[in-house]
Amino acid sequence: MCENINEIQETRARLKKIILEDVKPIRKKLDGLLNEQAVLLCPFKIDDIITLDNGKKGIIKEISHHSLNYDFMPSEEFEFFDKFDEITSIYAYSLDDKEFTITWQCSGLRMIQNDTVVGKVTFSDISPDKFDIDVDNKKVTQKSLNSLVDNIDFLTDLSAIVK
């Protein structure tokens, strides 16, 4: 039993070393690259003032990546079709017209005193998968359920049951 405990401790130490020396730096680099891409994708910039869903103004203080945790459609060589949802796979692809599942999200501070002073209350998680983005008017409005599913008509094929 004592040998087993030593092996456990050695394995834990090796794993900790790998995480600290390899995984964390790679994750930090990946987050940096994803955030750079998010800034390029985002139609707004830091310190832009936007109109929020409630009609109030807010100032953007951060733009970061937003991962869409959707599985891509499997190719025909895989046998686990039941694990995937076709709707979310297509939606993830069409969101930014890019073949990866990240997009941007922004957060910032709400404006106060008739939208003239930066307040302390935050807003967050403004992203194109949850909000309609009016770039010209710098306005965001939360998507209704209808707008989330409007673009999936091509997935509904009723020809087999309509006679």
Side-chain angles (χ1 to χ4, degrees), residues 121-140:
V121 177
T122 62
F123 67 88
S124 61
D125 298 333
I126 306 291
S127 62
D129 63 329
K130 299 175 192 157
F131 287 81
D132 288 318
I133 311 298
D134 181 350
V135 177
D136 295 332
N137 296 315
K138 293 189 178 184
K139 184 176 181 178
V140 297

Side-chain angles (χ1 to χ4, degrees), residues 90-106:
I90 292 170
Y91 186 63
Y93 270 107
S94 67
L95 194 61
D96 288 320
D97 297 320
K98 306 267 188 259
E99 291 188 355
F100 51 85
T101 59
I102 71 133
T103 189
W104 57 271
Q105 69 180 8
C106 64

Side-chain angles (χ1 to χ4, degrees), residues 7-144:
E7 185 178 356
I8 290 170
Q9 295 298 1
E10 288 172 8
T11 304
R12 280 184 175 165
R14 276 198 333 248
L15 180 60
K16 182 178 180 181
K17 183 179 179 187
I18 290 169
I19 291 170
L20 291 174
E21 294 176 2
D22 294 334
V23 175
K24 284 191 174 186
I26 291 171
R27 183 68 223 190
K28 185 176 180 180
K29 180 179 180 179
L30 177 59
D31 284 342
L33 292 170
L34 289 169
N35 286 336
E36 286 176 20
Q37 187 66 37
V39 169
L40 295 174
L41 291 171
C42 184
F44 306 123
K45 303 295 173 224
I46 300 292
D47 293 330
D48 275 359
I49 296 176
I50 61 172
T51 303
L52 301 169
D53 201 19
N54 62 1
K56 301 287 186 178
K57 302 279 186 189
I59 186 167
I60 295 174
K61 291 297 181 183
E62 181 182 25
I63 299 170
S64 60
H65 74 279
H66 174 63
S67 294
L68 304 170
N69 296 317
Y70 300 130
D71 294 317
F72 292 113
M73 286 299 295
S75 65
E76 297 202 10
E77 62 195 56
F78 295 111
E79 297 294 325
F80 47 92
F81 289 106
D82 59 330
K83 292 176 71 176
F84 292 93
D85 183 344
E86 188 173 5
I87 294 171
T88 56
S89 298
I90 292 170
Y91 186 63
Y93 270 107
S94 67
L95 194 61
D96 288 320
D97 297 320
K98 306 267 188 259
E99 291 188 355
F100 51 85
T101 59
I102 71 133
T103 189
W104 57 271
Q105 69 180 8
C106 64
S107 59
L109 297 168
R110 295 179 187 272
M111 305 291 284
I112 57 173
Q113 297 180 4
N114 292 326
D115 300 326
T116 59
V117 176
V118 177
K120 294 181 182 179
V121 177
T122 62
F123 67 88
S124 61
D125 298 333
I126 306 291
S127 62
D129 63 329
K130 299 175 192 157
F131 287 81
D132 288 318
I133 311 298
D134 181 350
V135 177
D136 295 332
N137 296 315
K138 293 189 178 184
K139 184 176 181 178
V140 297
T141 52
Q142 194 162 14
K143 288 185 178 182
S144 66

